[in-house]
Amino acid sequence: MKRRGFQAEAGQYVFLQVPEIRYFEWHPFTLTSSPEEDFFSVHIRSLGDWTEKVAKRCGVGTDTGFQQAFEMPKILIDGPFGTCSEDIFKHEVGMAVGAGIGVTPFSSILKSCWYQSLDPNTTMKLKKVYFFWICPETGAFEWFQSLLASIEEQMMENGNGDFIEFHIHLTKGWDFKTAQQIYMQEESESDVITGLQQKTIYGRPNWDEIFPELARKHP
């Protein structure tokens, strides 16, 4: 979406209303676009009465296919509103932790970190980002994995592959067949689940080991 004069910081959120569906209902959604982009976006998971109606009205899962802008429903927007996620840019080392669909704020934050790191006119205090994503099932990878893959590829191409370090944890959601595929492709360069160079870790993060290790690396 584009709107003249709209400005937002990384990690902020907006309230959306679709009058033709529910005139008095406002729903909060985290912005998945970064301040450096010339548009703003949100990702809406179709889960519940309101979101399912919005998806159907926008032609998702129907025979209507792609809709032109004039065919889309009118959407009212209130915001953006701030969040403490913006503080990551005030430190040399940042650690971001998301779980499941709650990872959406980090789409904006990670993209903003990457854009700023590429801008020669920007002096950024942030030098290293550790991103932990804990997922209960593989379905959560659907849309965010492509963003991570794009960032990882660009980091490698620009010789800055260690700027953002991914730690993807899958806590459940794999069956015997998936386990076989994981075992057979253990030596491959990319991960069998996400397609990333950095491999998925199966199980919850061991914070008792992670925090001391990061403290040792960055005293």
Side-chain angles (χ1 to χ4, degrees):
M1 293 179 283
K2 293 186 177 182
R3 180 172 176 79
R4 186 179 302 170
F6 183 89
Q7 294 181 337
E9 300 297 329
Q12 290 190 308
Y13 64 95
V14 295
F15 282 92
L16 301 183
Q17 184 203 103
V18 185
E20 67 179 77
I21 293 178
R22 295 276 170 75
Y23 192 80
F24 295 105
E25 277 193 24
W26 291 85
H27 295 263
F29 292 96
T30 303
L31 292 170
T32 53
S33 52
S34 73
E36 292 76 18
E37 294 173 316
D38 63 352
F39 62 90
F40 68 95
S41 64
V42 298
H43 280 69
I44 300 176
R45 186 178 184 182
S46 182
L47 185 65
D49 182 56
W50 188 84
T51 53
E52 288 178 355
K53 288 182 178 180
V54 171
K56 184 177 180 180
R57 176 61 182 82
C58 293
V60 178
T62 66
D63 296 331
T64 57
F66 178 78
Q67 292 184 331
Q68 299 295 329
F70 68 88
E71 299 176 305
M72 300 291 283
K74 179 180 180 180
I75 299 176
L76 305 183
I77 301 167
D78 187 18
F81 299 98
T83 123
C84 60
S85 302
E86 303 166 29
D87 291 343
I88 192 173
F89 298 102
K90 300 178 182 179
H91 305 277
E92 290 188 359
V93 179
M95 181 176 178
V97 181
I101 195 63
V103 76
T104 48
F106 300 108
S107 169
S108 174
I109 294 168
L110 292 177
K111 284 195 287 186
S112 187
C113 288
W114 178 238
Y115 283 131
Q116 291 187 44
S117 72
L118 293 178
D119 187 356
N121 300 316
T122 299
T123 302
M124 189 168 60
K125 186 175 183 179
L126 187 63
K127 305 300 181 185
K128 178 74 174 182
V129 178
Y130 293 93
F131 174 60
F132 290 82
W133 186 17
I134 302 103
C135 293
E137 37 98 18
T138 55
F141 292 126
E142 290 176 359
W143 70 272
F144 198 62
Q145 176 272 339
S146 60
L147 169 64
L148 297 182
S150 175
I151 292 176
E152 185 180 64
E153 181 181 359
Q154 292 179 61
M155 287 193 303
M156 297 297 182
E157 290 177 354
N158 288 274
N160 196 15
D162 60 348
F163 174 59
I164 301 177
E165 186 174 306
F166 301 131
H167 296 265
I168 314 299
H169 290 259
L170 184 62
T171 58
K172 57 182 179 180
W174 62 85
D175 52 21
F176 179 73
K177 184 178 180 180
T178 305
Q180 280 186 316
Q181 292 177 336
I182 295 168
Y183 177 77
M184 293 175 63
Q185 300 186 41
E186 182 64 27
E187 301 302 322
S188 63
E189 293 186 1
S190 59
D191 185 74
V192 64
I193 299 293
T194 65
L196 299 173
Q197 296 292 320
Q198 300 184 44
K199 299 298 183 68
T200 297
I201 303 167
Y202 299 92
R204 293 180 174 84
N206 187 340
W207 300 117
D208 290 336
E209 293 182 0
I210 292 170
F211 286 129
E213 176 64 16
L214 294 184
R216 184 189 62 79
K217 288 182 177 179
H218 309 281

